[in-house]
Amino acid sequence: MLVLHHCSDARSFRPLWALEEMGLPYELRMLPFPPRAAAPDYLARNPLGTIPLLEDGDVRMTESAAICQYLVSRYGPSSFDVAPEEPGYAAFLNGLHFGEATLTFPQTLVLRYRWLEPPERRLPQAAEDYERWFFSRLRKGLGTLEGGFYAAGRFTAADVSIGYALLLAGKLGLDAQFTPEVAAYWARLSARPGYRRAQEAQRAALAARNVQPTDFRGQASS
Ligand SMILES: N[C@@H](CCC(=O)N[C@@H](CS)C(=O)NCC(=O)O)C(=O)O
C-alpha cells in the first residue's frame, strides 16, 4: 500500500492529487504543520522533517514533483504521464520541475518573510521582491498552454505540479493578480474531479485526525 504523509494544502497535495487522478489506492497520514515541530515522531521517518513523504514498500521519497513522476512511470500507463516517445515529453519534464523549482520556491520566501516569521524578523522588501519574481516567472514560463494544458495538449502530472503553485498563490492571497489566462487555467485545473476528490480526502483526514488546516497567513485556512 502506498502511504502518503501530508499536511493540508502543502506540497504533499501534489502527490495526493496525482493519486486521485490515477485512481490508485493509498493511505493518507495527515500531520499538523510544521511536522518538524508539531509531530516530532515524524523525524524518525523523515529526518528532513518535511512533507511530502511517500512510502511504497522500501521506497521513501520526499520530493513532490519526483513523487508524481514516480507514480506515473511506476503505476502507469496513464494519459496523465507523457512517454519519452511522445513529442511533449521534454515539456512534460520541464513542467514538473518548473512548478516546484521555479514557481514554488519564490512563494516560500514570500510565505516565510511576510507571514511565518515573528514580526521583528519579517523582511517586507524580500517578500515583495520574491512576489514579483513569482509573477514574472509565471508570466514568462507558462507559455501558450496548447489545448489548455502545459504539455502534450492534455492534462498531465506537469499540470499538477504547476497547479499546486497556483493553489499556494491563493493561500498567500496572490491569486487576485493572476492574468485572465492564468485564472482560466487554474479554474480548469481546480474543476477536475481528481482535484475535488483530493480536497475531499484531505478534509476527511483532517476531521478524522482532529488536525487543524495549515495556517498559511496566521489565520484559519479553509
Ligand atoms: N522540494 C520539496 C520541498 C518540501 C518542503 O519543504 N515542504 C514544506 C511544506 S510545503 C515543509 O515540509 N515545510 C516544513 C519544514 O520545513 O519544516 C518538495 O517539492 O516536496
Side-chain angles (χ1 to χ4, degrees):
M1 172 69 90
L2 293 159
V3 178
L4 178 64
H5 299 260
H6 176 53
C7 295
S8 69
D9 291 325
R11 285 174 176 95
S12 42
F13 192 80
R14 283 192 181 108
L16 175 58
W17 187 359
L19 287 161
E20 286 293 345
E21 291 283 352
M22 294 180 73
L24 296 171
Y26 65 91
E27 180 188 332
L28 188 60
R29 296 212 187 141
M30 183 62 81
L31 294 164
F33 187 85
R36 191 164 29 90
D41 289 358
Y42 177 65
L43 291 172
R45 284 183 185 275
N46 176 11
L48 293 173
T50 54
I51 41 89
L53 168 67
L54 180 83
E55 296 176 297
D56 183 14
D58 291 338
V59 167
R60 301 269 182 287
M61 294 183 75
T62 58
E63 286 291 331
S64 59
I67 295 170
C68 291
Q69 191 174 352
Y70 172 80
L71 292 173
V72 295
S73 50
R74 175 80 177 74
Y75 292 102
S78 150
S79 68
F80 187 50
D81 189 13
V82 181
E85 308 75 54
E86 290 187 69
Y89 179 62
F92 168 71
L93 292 182
N94 208 63
L96 267 176
H97 295 280
F98 173 67
E100 170 57 17
T102 297
L103 291 184
T104 307
F105 157 71
Q107 289 179 291
T108 61
L109 294 171
V110 175
L111 174 62
R112 176 167 185 176
Y113 289 112
R114 181 170 294 159
W115 299 109
L116 291 187
E117 287 287 347
E120 67 280 8
R121 294 203 76 248
R122 289 184 187 167
L123 298 172
Q125 187 64 60
E128 212 176 285
D129 289 350
Y130 281 98
E131 178 182 320
R132 253 202 311 277
W133 168 324
F134 167 69
F135 280 109
S136 162
R137 301 295 158 104
L138 184 59
R139 196 173 60 248
K140 294 172 186 164
L142 208 50
T144 42
L145 296 178
E146 193 193 318
F149 297 107
Y150 185 83
R154 65 176 186 268
F155 177 80
T156 70
D159 298 297
V160 161
S161 181
I162 296 167
Y164 173 71
L166 302 181
L167 183 159
L168 181 59
K171 295 287 164 189
L172 299 179
L174 304 178
D175 52 339
Q177 298 175 62
F178 284 173
T179 61
E181 290 74 20
V182 171
Y185 177 48
W186 174 233
R188 200 173 309 126
L189 298 184
S190 56
R192 292 185 61 83
Y195 175 86
R196 300 233 165 128
R197 284 196 301 274
Q199 282 290 346
E200 188 42 50
Q202 76 172 6
R203 246 190 310 276
L206 282 169
R209 289 288 314 274
N210 201 19
V211 170
Q212 288 305 305
T214 303
D215 190 3
F216 286 98
R217 290 195 276 163
Q219 49 196 257
S221 314
S222 59

